[in-house]
Amino acid sequence: TPAAVSASNSAFNPAIYAVLQGAYINQSKDPDKYAIAGFVPSGDIGPGKRGFSIAESELGFSANVDHKFFGNLILALTPDNNVEVEEAYGVFTALPGGVTPKFGRFLSSVGYLNDQHQHAWDFYDAPLVYQAFFGGQFRNDGLQVKWLAPTDTYLQFGAEVGDGSSFPGSERSNGRNGIGGGALHAHVGGDIDVSNSWRAGLSWLTLRPNERTHTEIDRNGNPAQLEFSGRSQVAIADFVWKYAPNGNAKETHFKLQGEYFWRKERGNLRYDSDGALGLTNTARNTSRQNGFYVQGVYQFMPEWRVGARYDHLDPGRVDYGGNAAYLGASSFNPKRYSLMFDYTPSEFSRFRIQYQQSKLQPDFTDNILVGMVGVNVPLP
């Protein structure tokens, strides 16, 4: 009856859930030495501590606020016992013509994988390009607008503006007003036949990092603090192809996906910015770097999947200008090979084993074995 439906909707508004994950990690190298040669360190992107630990878990709340707004709050529970606001946004649902504005904090829709949460990924960790270019994922505090075209072919366009504080951006200094970055993205896709579907996209992100700091080993083997201010631009091309015999993905299916990243940075680089070495110097700096990953995941029978992923980074061209006497560019191409095997008894639980070999620095090969268990707990 209508009354029963109304009562049912009220009972599940808001929807509350918890994603709980635990992991065991075995590494052949010291995790404190995890670094990607030739790329600016971008935060805590390592595979995690050795041994048993909790993996990233979530607590989520979502609800239809009224007939015009939807709200979503997701709290991330990190392995080092911190609670972070991963997403907190509202969506205005009442605009006609397929236009959907979102405001607050959200995972940007650039690329393919970025706006998906970690527990939904096909592998335990983010591809190397996401680690090197975004520090894991790019998050925006701002406004997003998407438009879904009224066509038989899937066609969606989106634009974002935000504070630009997420890497490769930086926190805006001196409490300045304005916009710290913006993004554009477009995706197209559709069905080839009853068994095959695809999606492809292009994204562009521009940011203005100001006094973005990191530590780098200079030519003399000294840890030097560097400070960059300028412009950072990232372009992404992504592609996904899915195959399920006769459209029945429950029995068997295969997914092939890949993304290519290209980044250009130009601005002023301040060497020894804290004066610890007594050699403080500011000079123009430009860099052009790229990387990609490609992965395939095959569900060979209900509930069981196997997957493989290849990651490759190119440090490209880095011109330190007047700081070339202190800093040297890397010609090493970091790469990684990963294998995954998982068992998903239901949509609420998963067991996964992943092995990967990472060659992220010259003469540094790390063999990593990860075991993970995850459960999705709907809460009343």
Side-chain angles (χ1 to χ4, degrees), residues 132-329:
F133 287 74
F134 286 164
Q137 287 177 282
F138 182 76
R139 188 169 58 193
N140 227 345
D141 286 7
L143 172 67
Q144 177 193 83
V145 177
K146 287 184 178 181
W147 175 60
L148 182 62
T151 58
D152 292 335
T153 298
Y154 174 82
L155 185 60
Q156 186 179 67
F157 298 94
E160 302 172 11
V161 292
D163 66 343
S165 62
S166 187
F167 184 87
S170 68
E171 295 286 348
R172 296 175 65 78
S173 62
N174 302 322
R176 294 187 299 172
N177 295 313
I179 296 171
L184 297 172
H185 35 84
H187 289 93
V188 59
D191 296 328
I192 300 174
D193 54 31
V194 70
S195 300
N196 296 273
S197 61
W198 64 281
R199 197 194 84 161
L202 293 173
S203 304
W204 178 75
L205 173 68
T206 181
L207 301 163
R208 290 188 174 275
N210 185 60
E211 299 178 354
R212 186 188 72 197
T213 60
H214 74 279
T215 300
E216 189 171 317
I217 303 300
D218 65 12
R219 290 183 179 274
N220 296 317
N222 298 314
Q225 180 171 293
L226 308 182
E227 191 176 272
F228 176 79
S229 297
R231 172 169 288 186
S232 181
Q233 297 173 300
V234 181
I236 307 171
D238 64 86
F239 179 78
V240 180
W241 171 62
K242 297 180 180 181
Y243 169 74
N246 299 315
N248 184 6
K250 185 176 181 180
E251 294 296 322
T252 63
H253 66 264
F254 176 75
K255 179 171 69 172
L256 177 69
Q257 75 183 59
E259 297 185 69
Y260 174 83
F261 281 56
W262 175 87
R263 180 173 66 197
K264 176 183 177 181
E265 293 195 331
R266 177 179 295 175
N268 292 323
L269 183 68
R270 188 174 178 84
Y271 168 78
D272 187 28
S273 59
D274 59 356
L277 304 177
L279 298 170
T280 302
N281 185 64
T282 302
R284 293 294 291 174
N285 178 82
T286 61
S287 66
R288 292 177 176 85
Q289 301 179 303
N290 64 84
F292 71 90
Y293 79 91
V294 61
Q295 69 181 54
V297 176
Y298 175 51
Q299 180 177 298
F300 55 92
M301 61 185 297
E303 304 174 356
W304 296 89
R305 304 189 309 165
V306 63
R309 181 178 67 188
Y310 173 69
D311 298 276
H312 183 93
L313 295 175
D314 185 348
R317 294 182 296 165
V318 180
D319 183 0
Y320 288 112
N323 283 320
Y326 309 112
L327 301 169

Side-chain angles (χ1 to χ4, degrees), residues 12-232:
F12 291 95
N13 193 14
I16 306 173
Y17 71 91
V19 175
L20 310 176
Q21 297 187 106
Y24 174 81
I25 301 176
N26 185 293
Q27 297 176 245
S28 63
K29 299 293 186 180
D30 185 348
D32 292 336
K33 296 181 180 179
Y34 188 94
I36 303 175
F39 288 81
V40 174
S42 52
D44 185 16
I45 59 174
K49 72 174 186 178
R50 286 167 161 167
F52 289 100
S53 67
I54 66 166
E56 183 173 303
S57 299
E58 291 180 2
L59 183 61
F61 307 83
S62 62
N64 290 310
V65 180
D66 52 30
H67 62 292
K68 293 184 182 295
F69 284 95
F70 168 82
N72 191 29
L73 170 64
I74 299 177
L75 304 176
L77 314 175
T78 66
D80 53 358
N81 298 323
N82 290 324
V83 178
E84 299 176 353
V85 178
E86 186 166 18
E87 292 194 280
Y89 60 79
V91 179
F92 187 61
T93 60
L95 286 182
V99 178
T100 308
K102 178 189 291 186
F103 57 91
R105 172 174 294 181
F106 51 87
L107 295 172
S108 173
S109 294
V110 294
Y112 174 73
L113 199 64
N114 191 76
D115 61 3
Q116 300 178 28
H117 288 264
Q118 183 267 346
H119 59 84
W121 297 346
D122 293 319
F123 288 79
Y124 174 75
D125 50 1
L128 281 184
V129 286
Y130 276 91
Q131 295 185 19
F133 287 74
F134 286 164
Q137 287 177 282
F138 182 76
R139 188 169 58 193
N140 227 345
D141 286 7
L143 172 67
Q144 177 193 83
V145 177
K146 287 184 178 181
W147 175 60
L148 182 62
T151 58
D152 292 335
T153 298
Y154 174 82
L155 185 60
Q156 186 179 67
F157 298 94
E160 302 172 11
V161 292
D163 66 343
S165 62
S166 187
F167 184 87
S170 68
E171 295 286 348
R172 296 175 65 78
S173 62
N174 302 322
R176 294 187 299 172
N177 295 313
I179 296 171
L184 297 172
H185 35 84
H187 289 93
V188 59
D191 296 328
I192 300 174
D193 54 31
V194 70
S195 300
N196 296 273
S197 61
W198 64 281
R199 197 194 84 161
L202 293 173
S203 304
W204 178 75
L205 173 68
T206 181
L207 301 163
R208 290 188 174 275
N210 185 60
E211 299 178 354
R212 186 188 72 197
T213 60
H214 74 279
T215 300
E216 189 171 317
I217 303 300
D218 65 12
R219 290 183 179 274
N220 296 317
N222 298 314
Q225 180 171 293
L226 308 182
E227 191 176 272
F228 176 79
S229 297
R231 172 169 288 186
S232 181

